[in-house]
Amino acid sequence: MPSAAASAREILVRLHDVMASRTAAQAKLNSVVQIVGEAMSSEVCSIYLLRDGVLELYATRGLAQEAVHVTKLALGEGLVGTIAQEVETLNLDEAASHPDFAYKPETGEEKFHSFAGVPIIRRERAVGVLCVQHADPHKYDDVEIEALQTVAMVLSELIANADLADGGGVAAARPQSTAAMRIPGLKLVDGMASGYAVFHQPRITIEHTVAEDTEAERHRVYAAFDKMREQIERMAAQAEFGVGGEHDEVLQTYKMFAYDEGWSRRINEAIDSGLTAEAAIERVQQRTRMRMRQIDDPLLADRMHDLEDLSNRLLRIVSGQMGTAAQMGLRQDTILVARNLGPAELLEYDRRRLKGVILEEGSLTAHVTIVARAMGVPVLGRVKSVRRLIGEGDLLLLDVTEGNVFARPSAAMEEAFETKLELRQRRRAAFAALKTEAPVSKDGHRLTVMVNAGLRDDVAALDVTGADGIGLFRTEFQFLISATLPARERQQRLYRDVLDAAGDRPVIFRTVDIGGDKALPYLNKEDADEENPAMGWRALRLALDRGGLMKVQARALIEAAAGRTLNVMFPMVSEPWEFDQARALFETQREWMSSRGRTLPAEIRYGAMLEVPALAEQLDLLLPKIDFLSVGTNDLTQFLFAADRANPRLAERYDWLSPAILRFLRKLVGPTRDADVQLAVCGEMGGRPLEAMALIGLGIERLSITPAAVGPIKAMVRSLDRAALMTHMETLLAAPPRDMRGALAAWATQSGVELA
């Protein structure tokens, strides 16, 4: 069996003459289907092109010629429509068995069983489909599919030059509408900003796909790789926020991709098939995009985004075409618009003029999100079709707090935005003034307000907000952004740095909470496709099964806390025996280190997270063993209501101020107080003033929240009569009103409680 490169090259040699001929585009396509069909010994080869939103049979060998320009399929209709809509490859031994199969009698295709089709891609979208069929039922070999994909790329150039398909020519520079509009997205990095839209990356047009001299193309790629790696090394060395933070680890992972031999080998193989350097890079990039569409794991997808970012950089270097907007220079206050960004690309921008970022993709764990947070740049992600809705130079008002961007705003929109921004700045100033004030209620009761953290840099929030400590340090973030399992020394360095920065303020380290929707590619998890990952093999369950992982973390934490108090919290405890096993593992590591004369923590305090409702029914067994209990309201809520918090149809359906949740939490207060166990809430619920007020009314005295919420919560506490609130809460929970939220808000207004 010849290699994929050899199979593709055999076809491209013959296609080269067709492409260079002066015949009409239709004649060229007719020649292409003959050449591909003969080379693959396939009875049918057909080309469908997207015209006026419909896929039209444009050329065929083997199907009825009367069907050409007659047979048409909508996007998503039949196998061809599915390939175009999903931008994916299909390879079937029995076409009719596929659920999307649609029979077109005028083509005479009923006698053919095997089917393979690949999208013809132009500017990241399908403008057509190239497919082959055979009478005998069998799947096409991988080398044949690779050859088809390479031919499809060459066809893309022919189609674009002849302007045969929708989107084949020059893309419109302006959006579909010029009216003012609000566009929603996902909050990635909080903040507000205004500026003019600048597209991160001008489209690179590949003029020639078929190589004249393979070795010359290879040397061009080698030179481009060298230049790209120099750029990456320079940016990593010049990152202005220094070294040692998680963003530095992100850049190290990014550099690892830049030197990945597998990636460069795939580009070389594409050149061997007869493609130019630019086309080879784009060919591999298209394959990457297809893989990304098939990846459900957001962390793996994020790493694929890094590889695509590097591909874009390599393509710009080898083509000599325009660079990114960063390399062109920003001329005014800018909101950057991109499909996605790599971390190094973001670092290239002028911080003085870059005010915000809008991404068509993006996620909370993406590397660019981590770096943007370190830079203090607000980011709105998952903004669908953003590059069609926004035009270059449009004025944008970015409000990540509300999860919106306003494009081409009206005067009224601008005025409302400026008013909100000014109010936000005044409130931030007022909340900042509370930094040195304690969260003491009007009737003199001192509460504890702590912050949640996950990055080394987050510890700075203690001084900025005046918080009492870190009530939840999420240790898994270091695992999520690493390409491999973090070594003990690296974990220890992070934990020690956090304790040093916190000083005498307590830090509660939650042991690694991975698995479920936070899968790690390097763990080879057995249950990779769980139906309900939030309730599956994750958190403490995974850690106890992977004892080696938890032992390394235990030693790192114990070493880091030498001479100090170490607070350790275990996530997602469902049964007391799970806590016992986790605590025993830590104690074994402490004894091992003691036997070798290591300096130990002055004290280790153990706690558990209550996220699984079953644990609440066994508090009498658990409380004698623990020093503190923290309620994770995010998971607890979804488990109580059997409602996936990631499902947008259920996101607003269940209220944190539901009597069911408030009554559940109230049942925890008495037993923990009697057992002298600290009870805290460390979920998002505690960071909202009205919800936090309700928690205080239940008797909960410790909250761990986002740093941005500390000021508003302090202001609420200092305006509150706690004793009066607790009395009112008892009345409300005895006979809950239909609208508990409304009743609490009304009481707060009457009592002068500040809920801003």
Side-chain angles (χ1 to χ4, degrees):
M1 176 66 65
S3 68
S7 297
R9 185 160 185 78
E10 178 188 340
I11 298 173
L12 289 191
V13 167
R14 297 179 64 188
L15 286 185
H16 182 273
D17 293 336
V18 172
M19 297 282 286
S21 70
R22 296 188 177 185
T23 55
Q26 180 68 60
K28 289 182 179 180
L29 293 178
N30 292 341
S31 297
V32 168
V33 294
Q34 291 295 333
I35 291 169
V36 174
E38 289 171 9
M40 296 183 64
S41 300
S42 193
E43 292 160 310
V44 175
C45 178
S46 304
I47 294 172
Y48 292 78
L49 298 184
L50 187 68
R51 292 180 63 82
D52 300 322
V54 176
L55 290 154
E56 178 181 322
L57 178 60
Y58 227 84
T60 186
R61 157 199 157 111
L63 297 184
Q65 289 299 314
E66 303 83 63
V68 174
H69 302 304
V70 173
T71 296
K72 296 180 180 180
L73 294 158
L75 285 172
E77 181 186 1
L79 302 179
V80 169
T82 299
I83 290 168
Q85 179 170 277
E86 302 299 328
V87 196
E88 67 176 12
T89 294
L90 285 181
N91 184 9
L92 308 169
D93 54 6
E94 186 57 70
S97 66
H98 193 281
D100 292 324
F101 176 77
Y103 173 56
K104 293 292 182 179
E106 71 273 14
T107 64
E109 62 182 340
E110 64 274 5
K111 58 181 175 288
F112 303 110
H113 295 268
S114 302
F115 175 93
V118 300
I120 302 169
I121 301 169
R122 183 74 175 171
R123 297 194 178 102
E124 301 176 27
R125 57 190 289 269
V127 295
V129 173
L130 171 66
C131 56
V132 290
Q133 294 170 262
H134 201 277
D136 296 332
H138 74 276
K139 281 195 174 183
Y140 286 84
D141 294 326
D142 288 345
V143 293
E144 294 176 303
I145 298 298
E146 288 272 331
L148 273 181
Q149 290 170 332
T150 301
V151 172
M153 185 167 202
V154 176
L155 278 176
S156 173
E157 179 187 340
L158 187 158
I159 292 162
N161 291 339
D163 201 14
L164 291 176
D166 298 349
V170 178
R174 298 299 304 162
Q176 296 170 348
S177 170
T178 57
M181 66 170 59
R182 179 185 69 83
I183 309 171
L186 174 70
K187 298 181 242 183
L188 296 182
V189 180
D190 192 32
M192 293 177 68
S194 65
Y196 293 91
V198 170
F199 284 81
H200 162 64
Q201 186 175 301
R203 297 191 184 280
I204 296 173
T205 303
I206 298 176
E207 302 293 345
H208 302 290
T209 53
V210 181
E212 297 282 351
D213 183 341
T214 299
E215 285 309 308
E217 299 301 319
R218 200 184 320 281
H219 286 303
R220 291 176 64 216
V221 164
Y222 287 158
F225 262 106
D226 289 342
K227 188 170 182 179
M228 180 196 69
R229 289 163 179 165
E230 287 174 12
Q231 290 179 356
I232 301 301
E233 294 286 357
R234 187 165 59 252
M235 278 188 297
Q238 293 174 354
E240 63 187 62
F241 32 70
V243 296
E246 273 68 17
H247 41 263
D248 184 57
E249 294 169 0
V250 165
L251 292 176
Q252 295 304 318
T253 304
Y254 186 81
K255 283 168 57 179
M256 180 192 71
F257 280 116
Y259 287 90
D260 179 50
E261 291 184 4
W263 178 39
S264 58
R265 185 183 67 252
R266 288 190 293 274
I267 293 173
N268 257 314
E269 289 171 353
I271 290 174
D272 286 338
S273 73
L275 294 176
T276 60
E278 291 90 342
I281 296 166
E282 176 66 15
R283 173 74 191 87
V284 173
Q285 192 174 16
Q286 285 179 3
R287 196 179 310 159
T288 300
R289 291 191 192 111
M290 289 184 191
R291 287 183 61 196
M292 284 167 61
R293 291 186 182 95
Q294 299 166 0
I295 292 175
D296 294 326
D297 185 336
L299 295 164
L300 281 174
D302 289 339
R303 284 166 174 79
M304 298 293 277
H305 285 314
D306 285 350
L307 189 54
E308 185 173 14
D309 173 35
L310 287 163
S311 294
N312 291 335
R313 181 180 294 273
L314 189 65
L315 190 54
R316 287 195 300 273
I317 293 170
V318 81
S319 67
Q321 295 188 35
M322 290 171 60
T324 63
Q327 292 159 345
M328 301 295 290
L330 302 180
R331 296 177 175 82
Q332 57 191 335
D333 286 355
T334 295
I335 304 293
L336 194 66
V337 180
R339 188 170 69 84
N340 215 318
L341 277 174
E345 300 246 322
L346 185 63
L347 287 171
E348 289 183 309
Y349 282 91
D350 182 350
R351 286 277 305 279
R352 296 167 299 175
R353 288 179 170 165
L354 180 63
K355 301 302 179 182
V357 175
I358 300 171
L359 300 176
E360 196 167 347
E361 299 177 0
S363 72
L364 286 164
T365 55
H367 287 171
V368 69
T369 304
I370 298 167
V371 173
R373 188 182 296 115
M375 293 171 68
V377 175
V379 182
L380 185 69
R382 304 286 174 86
V383 184
K384 293 181 179 178
S385 303
V386 62
R387 293 176 296 169
R388 289 202 296 270
L389 298 174
I390 291 173
E392 187 95 16
D394 282 348
L395 176 62
L396 303 178
L397 307 178
L398 181 61
D399 187 352
V400 181
T401 305
E402 296 297 328
N404 294 316
V405 59
F406 297 90
R408 303 170 295 276
S410 63
M413 286 178 177
E414 285 192 68
E415 185 177 348
F417 182 85
E418 291 298 331
T419 300
K420 182 177 179 181
L421 182 59
E422 184 179 346
L423 179 61
R424 175 187 172 96
Q425 290 168 341
R426 282 206 305 267
R427 283 178 176 166
R428 288 179 65 181
F431 294 146
L434 293 176
K435 178 178 70 172
T436 57
E437 302 292 338
V440 179
S441 65
K442 286 170 63 177
D443 54 336
H445 197 86
R446 173 68 155 89
L447 286 97
T448 300
V449 177
M450 308 175 84
V451 293
N452 299 331
L455 298 166
R456 182 188 281 103
D457 295 345
D458 290 346
V459 185
L462 291 176
D463 294 326
V464 172
T465 63
D468 294 311
I470 297 176
L472 167 63
F473 190 90
R474 300 180 177 94
T475 60
E476 63 270 11
F477 217 93
Q478 189 180 31
F479 291 74
L480 295 176
I481 65 172
S482 298
T484 57
L485 190 69
R488 177 178 56 82
E489 294 78 8
R490 203 166 115 212
Q491 292 186 49
Q492 177 194 342
R493 187 165 60 249
L494 169 65
Y495 306 147
R496 186 179 62 243
D497 289 349
V498 169
L499 289 168
D500 289 344
D504 58 358
R505 291 162 294 196
V507 178
I508 296 177
F509 291 98
R510 182 177 71 183
T511 57
V512 65
D513 182 359
I514 52 177
D517 60 350
K518 293 181 283 189
L520 301 183
Y522 49 80
L523 271 191
N524 296 321
K525 178 162 81 79
E526 288 93 345
D527 303 320
D529 298 314
E530 294 183 276
E531 290 188 14
N532 297 296
M535 295 185 287
W537 193 61
R538 54 169 285 210
L540 190 60
R541 299 167 181 175
L542 183 153
L544 290 175
D545 283 354
R546 299 287 194 189
L549 182 153
M550 199 169 185
K551 286 177 183 176
V552 170
Q553 184 172 40
R555 280 189 58 190
L557 283 165
I558 292 169
E559 288 174 329
R564 297 182 274 206
T565 297
L566 173 61
N567 295 287
V568 178
M569 178 164 64
F570 304 120
M572 205 178 177
V573 178
S574 306
E575 300 258 18
W577 66 261
E578 292 175 324
F579 173 85
D580 293 340
Q581 276 196 14
R583 186 182 188 279
L585 186 149
F586 264 76
E587 286 299 307
T588 299
Q589 294 306 305
R590 175 158 68 167
E591 291 167 8
W592 183 87
M593 293 173 65
S594 176
S595 68
R596 282 156 178 76
R598 307 283 177 80
T599 304
L600 300 175
E603 177 188 12
I604 301 183
R605 300 176 71 246
Y606 293 101
M609 283 199 76
L610 195 154
E611 300 156 282
V612 181
L615 189 63
E617 298 302 318
Q618 303 179 79
L619 285 182
D620 58 321
L621 303 176
L622 179 68
L623 290 176
K625 305 173 181 180
I626 63 176
D627 298 295
F628 55 91
L629 183 70
S630 292
V631 181
T633 51
N634 293 2
D635 270 328
L636 176 64
T637 302
Q638 71 171 341
F639 295 150
L640 273 175
F641 285 115
D644 182 359
R645 66 186 183 188
N647 187 331
R649 287 177 292 185
L650 301 177
E652 302 298 328
R653 192 163 188 162
Y654 300 103
D655 193 344
W656 270 320
L657 295 180
S658 159
I661 295 176
L662 296 176
R663 285 182 164 188
F664 183 94
L665 294 172
R666 183 179 61 174
K667 289 194 293 186
L668 307 177
V669 175
T672 51
R673 183 181 58 239
D674 295 343
D676 196 25
V677 169
Q678 293 174 347
L679 174 65
V681 166
C682 61
E684 189 178 342
M685 180 181 180
R688 301 185 176 191
L690 186 62
E691 284 85 339
M693 186 190 82
L695 293 172
I696 293 168
L698 298 176
I700 292 171
E701 301 182 0
R702 300 174 69 87
L703 303 173
S704 187
I705 56 184
T706 63
V710 172
I713 297 302
K714 275 190 178 184
M716 181 273 293
V717 170
R718 292 173 63 81
S719 66
L720 177 70
D721 185 323
R722 176 176 175 270
L725 171 62
M726 293 180 72
T727 300
H728 186 63
M729 283 294 294
E730 285 296 323
T731 302
L732 289 177
L733 290 179
R738 184 181 182 90
D739 181 9
M740 178 67 82
R741 178 174 291 276
L744 283 167
W747 184 88
T749 300
Q750 292 171 359
S751 305
V753 179
E754 186 175 335
L755 295 178

